[in-house]
Amino acid sequence: MDTLVIQLAVGLGLQNYIGWFAPVLLGMMNVIPYLLALFFYTDKSQSYNEYLSHTDNGNRSPDLQFDFIVVGGGSAGSVVASRLSKHFSVLLLESGGRANPLTTVPGMHSAMLGRREIDYRYLTVPQNNSCLACNNRQSLWNAGHGLGGSSILNAMAYIRGHPFDYDSWSHFTNDERWKYENILPYFKRSEEYCDNCEHNTGVIPSVNPKFHGVEGELPIRPPPITPPLVPEFLKAMKWASISKGDVNAPYYKPIADVVSYTQRQGRRVTPYNAFIDTIYGKRTTLKVLKYARVIQVIFAPGTSKVIGVKYERFGKIEVAKANKEVILSAGAIGTPKILLLSGVGPEADLKELKIPCRINLPVGRNLQDHVGTRVGPFLIDKPLSLLPERYLTEDAVNQFLQNGTGFYTLTVGRAFALWTSTKALNSGEGEWPDIISPMASNAVGQNSAAVAESSNMRADIMKEFLDPVKGKHAFSFTIGYGRPKSRGVLKLASANYVDEPLIDPRYYEDAEQEDIKVTVEALERALYIGENAPAYKRLGAKLSPIPFPPCKHTRFRSTKYWECVARQHTLTLYHYSGTASMGPVDSPHAVVDSELRVIGTKGLRVIDASIMPLIVSVNTNAATIMIGERGSEFVIKSWL
């Protein structure tokens, strides 16, 4: 595998950044950490040298002054900086650096997770009712650190969500501008949607052009090859009354499809690539500063008017001024942290840390995430799953580099289904699917320790669970509940900006225990489909006979067993949101109003996933990009 990684690195031009040392001398060893570290420190050193050349006698940079300051170069921040810089001067501040070229390889997605150079690698506080098989009962929350934000690490799935997701936002905010029919143009504005271009073959998404943009900056594509076991998955779902259809158009029944990726010519394209790389250097109104960690926003003395930000760069504290607004797009973890350090948040919490409270708002109090677990592996007797030893070869590397095809163009997400729980049916929400079920078509890997590390699971548990079936062809489902009732909390650990915040998702802690009941029902349905759908029966599909070790004393495959698995083998779907919720200005739950202005302030907005009052019922990246588009227009109309 190491030689293949070196071939990819050379093919992607990594040596142009770090020289030929790594490709020539690293040899047969675990090269990924070295390639990541060399690129990171080379990029940072180059940025530091540029910084020194602009400092005043080597002491500090002169204060920067722009119309707008955008904090965070992720999915929303990239859109905001691009749109605003058409009309105004914009400074984009990003705490990380340039994404390593290896992140453009979709097939390297799993290998990139957890790498400190590109991943914040947050750990939650220990959980009481979930994550019980994790080290110290802590969930590992991967979050991209660098230009592109979490879009440099995610599975690239572009899924918008249901119309009712956005209609509920409109209802919550009393603002019709957030209804689905009114935000649809903002989805379309970003998209360069193509369902049968480049070299796509096989199963492709069913696309209705009425609901898709074709002239936007962000390329949306089905994978360039038919992923393993996707045809069988779609047939199995159809047997279960979950029909194939376009999940990026309105749907009012259970639906399944192959995943659409943010991808071009087989390579990952992040919103930063699409919206900033294409204009940077050509548009003089935009400046990007890497390795600039924003500490807090700055208020004009004695007022609620925000006039700039304080940030740390290469060990120095600097100031940047905004003539018009500061816009926080640092994500559902970074944005609330900056607000709290600025004295905007729950008064009691701030007082405890001796931070003067400027504005008492429920920052960090509406934390939401999709949580679930894995059903599988289902063992099959046909050699159809992706066995790394078989497919991740020199030929596959050459296919990817030369043609943009082959298995390196695929992430772990390949197809998914959305269906409706009994709870939703009984609540009159039968037209609003609430179960997320992506399918992974990987064989059981040889390295259980790597699987454990990727989700902070105990290595001894995963070894006992996977080693007896390692190397066997298989598939699995990951089940997530799309409309969880549990709400978590994010707080500061201290008043020191260096300390990471305390993240408490409180999975499965809703008072009615609805989340765990709905999840267990979905796990049992996935088991039934995996073993009984004719498309899977023809493969001899059977759930592995090895029970999840902490649950082996519970009757295997029983309802109690699946509840045990959900609480032990708890998985985040990486959809963190809601920590600076929008709502009416008089709502005790709102941090921003429906135009995303921080309540009680002037010149400060939040435009990222943290403004979601209710998490969308699917992946959050497409919604976050739309929030960037919608929020940008609010800002532009305010100032033009």
Side-chain angles (χ1 to χ4, degrees), residues 294-330:
V294 172
I295 301 168
Q296 57 189 191
V297 300
I298 301 171
F299 288 86
T303 75
S304 60
K305 167 70 175 168
V306 171
I307 58 172
V309 298
K310 185 186 296 184
Y311 63 98
E312 179 268 327
R313 194 167 191 238
F314 303 119
K316 301 282 179 61
I317 302 300
E318 310 279 4
V319 168
K321 299 286 183 65
N323 300 324
K324 291 180 169 46
E325 293 187 22
V326 170
I327 296 167
L328 299 181
S329 298

Side-chain angles (χ1 to χ4, degrees), residues 24 34 45 71 149 172 193-194 216 235 343 439 471 503 510 515 550 588 603 613:
V24 174
Y34 294 94
S45 296
V71 180
F172 188 82
Y193 214 108
C194 182
K235 289 174 185 175
M439 184 273 297
I503 303 168
D510 55 307
D515 291 0

Side-chain angles (χ1 to χ4, degrees), residues 46-107:
Q46 180 185 356
S47 298
Y48 181 60
N49 290 333
E50 293 171 0
Y51 166 80
L52 287 179
S53 69
H54 291 93
T55 57
D56 181 12
N57 298 321
N59 294 320
R60 67 183 300 277
S61 301
D63 288 350
L64 299 168
Q65 188 130 358
F66 290 78
D67 292 328
F68 291 92
I69 296 172
V70 179
V71 180
S75 292
S78 297
V79 175
V80 173
S82 175
R83 299 306 187 213
L84 295 187
S85 62
K86 288 181 182 178
H87 310 281
F88 309 100
S89 62
V90 176
L91 173 65
L92 176 61
L93 297 173
E94 167 57 46
S95 65
R98 188 142 198 99
N100 191 292
L102 285 172
T103 63
T104 66
V105 185

